[in-house]
Amino acid sequence: MKIDPNKDFGNRECPGCAMEVPANQNRCALCGYEFPHASPAKQRLTRWGAIVMIILFILVFLRVRF
Ligand SMILES: [Zn+2]
């Protein structure tokens, strides 16, 4: 099985001009759009933080009611 060295990076579509931008570049060469710097791990952490906040809110709400 041959491994393509470019496969690790891949391409993503620029929201500004729909051009394919290499994933290792944070800025579109054509229109200058800057991609958000958040990594997938960080996004997962943010999602877990939101879930914990909702659970805490429900716990507080139940404690106030009963
Ligand atoms: Zn662009």
Side-chain angles (χ1 to χ4, degrees):
M1 190 173 150
K2 199 183 172 186
I3 297 168
D4 186 357
N6 293 321
K7 202 180 178 184
D8 289 336
F9 298 113
N11 289 327
R12 49 188 168 179
E13 196 174 279
C14 173
C17 63
M19 197 184 88
E20 292 274 303
V21 180
N24 60 335
Q25 288 181 21
N26 283 326
R27 197 187 179 112
C28 175
L30 196 64
C31 71
Y33 174 84
E34 282 194 43
F35 288 91
H37 294 281
S39 64
K42 239 178 197 173
Q43 286 175 353
R44 204 177 302 151
L45 267 178
T46 308
R47 197 179 301 162
W48 273 109
I51 290 167
V52 169
M53 285 293 284
I54 290 164
I55 290 169
L56 279 173
F57 181 81
I58 290 167
L59 284 174
V60 169
F61 181 74
L62 287 175
R63 193 179 267 188
V64 167
R65 269 192 80 152
F66 299 109

